[in-house]
Amino acid sequence: MSKKKKRKAQSHTPTAAHFGAKTLDILIYYIQSFILGLVSSHNHTLTPPQREKKMPAGHGLRSRTRDLFARPFRKKGPTHLTTYLRIFKIGDYVDVKVNGSIHKGMPHKFYHGRTGRVWNVTKRAIGVEVNKQVRNKILKKRIHVRIEHVQPSRCHEEVQLRRKQNDKLKAEAKAQGMIISTKRQPKGPNPGFMVVEGATLETVTPIPYDVVNDLKGGY
C-alpha cells in the first residue's frame, strides 16, 4: 500500500475522541432545541389571543347627532318667516337650538341647548357668549350662530316681572310716606293654633285581623 493511501485510511478511520465529540455536539443541539421550545411555548401562553380588528367609532363634528339634530314630530318643512323677522339686541338672553334642516351657520353639538347672551349682531347671524366648563374652570366662549339656530330665552321673564312689581310697590309706598323692603323672604314655619276647649277626644285603634271573618266578606 502506498503512503498516500495509508494517510487517507488513517484520516477516515474514526477514533474514540471523534465519537465523543460528535455525541457531545448532538446532545448540546437537542438540549438547546428543548430549551427554545419551552421558552416559545411559555411566551405563547403569556400573549393574549389577538382579537379581530374593527373599524373605530368616528369622532367628527356631527357624530352622535342622529336624534339630537332631528326635527321634532310635525315640525318639519320650510322655516317660518317669524324666524327671520325676530329682533335681537345686545344683552338679550337666547337659547341655542340647532335646526337640522339649515346646515349653514350651525354651531357645534356642545352648544345645543345652552343659554347665552348676545354680544354682537351681524347681517345674518348673532354672536352668543356661552359658558363652557373645562375641568375645574368655566370659560366664556364667544360664537357666531345664524338666527335659524337661535331663539329668545324665557329665563329672564320672572326677573323682569318681579322688577316691575317691586317698582309698583315702591311707588305706592312712597305715595303713602312709607318705606318697604321688596327682598324675597324664605317661607317660615306654619302658624300655630289653639285647640278648642271642651273638645272630645276620640281614640282610634286598629281592628285585629280575623281570617274567618275575612273569608266571609269582612266586617
Side-chain angles (χ1 to χ4, degrees):
M1 187 180 287
S2 64
K3 292 181 179 180
K4 289 183 178 180
K5 288 182 179 180
K6 284 182 181 179
R7 287 175 185 172
K8 286 182 180 178
Q10 289 175 0
S11 63
H12 286 292
T13 52
T15 59
H18 183 72
F19 277 115
K22 196 170 184 180
T23 53
L24 186 62
D25 292 340
I26 294 170
L27 186 62
I28 291 171
Y29 171 74
Y30 279 118
I31 292 171
Q32 287 178 351
S33 62
F34 179 71
I35 293 171
L36 288 173
L38 285 177
V39 171
S40 64
S41 64
H42 185 63
N43 291 338
H44 182 69
T45 54
L46 285 178
T47 54
Q50 302 237 344
R51 295 182 179 178
E52 184 181 354
K53 292 184 179 179
K54 296 182 180 180
M55 184 67 73
H59 298 280
L61 293 176
R62 294 190 59 175
S63 63
R64 297 158 186 84
T65 58
R66 183 187 183 95
D67 298 327
L68 192 68
F69 289 172
R71 302 290 292 150
F73 181 62
R74 289 183 177 176
K75 296 293 182 179
K76 300 177 177 63
T79 309
H80 295 287
L81 290 177
T82 53
T83 306
Y84 301 99
L85 296 176
R86 288 197 187 106
I87 297 175
F88 294 99
K89 298 180 181 180
I90 295 176
D92 291 348
Y93 287 89
V94 293
D95 294 332
V96 180
K97 186 178 179 181
V98 176
N99 187 348
S101 62
I102 308 296
H103 296 171
K104 287 186 177 181
M106 183 182 291
H108 191 265
K109 59 184 177 180
F110 171 82
Y111 301 103
H112 179 71
R114 308 278 174 170
T115 303
R117 298 193 74 175
V118 179
W119 65 276
N120 188 20
V121 179
T122 61
K123 190 176 181 180
R124 296 180 182 85
I126 60 173
V128 185
E129 190 176 63
V130 189
N131 291 335
K132 182 178 181 180
Q133 183 174 355
V134 181
R135 294 186 179 89
N136 57 348
K137 297 182 294 184
I138 295 179
L139 307 177
K140 287 187 177 181
K141 308 287 284 188
R142 287 188 167 186
I143 58 174
H144 278 89
V145 188
R146 282 180 73 108
I147 55 175
E148 292 92 340
H149 308 290
V150 165
Q151 62 184 18
S153 179
R154 299 183 60 188
C155 66
H156 209 54
E157 285 185 357
E158 185 182 355
V159 178
Q160 293 175 343
L161 181 62
R162 193 172 70 249
R163 187 182 299 164
K164 290 179 181 178
Q165 291 177 353
N166 292 343
D167 292 342
K168 184 178 179 181
L169 292 174
K170 287 179 182 178
E172 292 176 356
K174 188 176 181 181
Q176 297 175 2
M178 298 170 57
I179 299 175
I180 61 172
S181 176
T182 56
K183 290 184 178 180
R184 291 175 293 177
Q185 300 295 332
K187 183 181 179 181
N190 295 327
F193 60 93
M194 296 294 294
V195 178
V196 180
E197 294 183 0
T200 58
L201 297 177
E202 183 180 357
T203 306
V204 180
T205 57
I207 301 173
Y209 180 68
D210 191 359
V211 180
V212 179
N213 194 15
D214 191 18
L215 292 173
K216 290 180 180 179
Y219 292 98

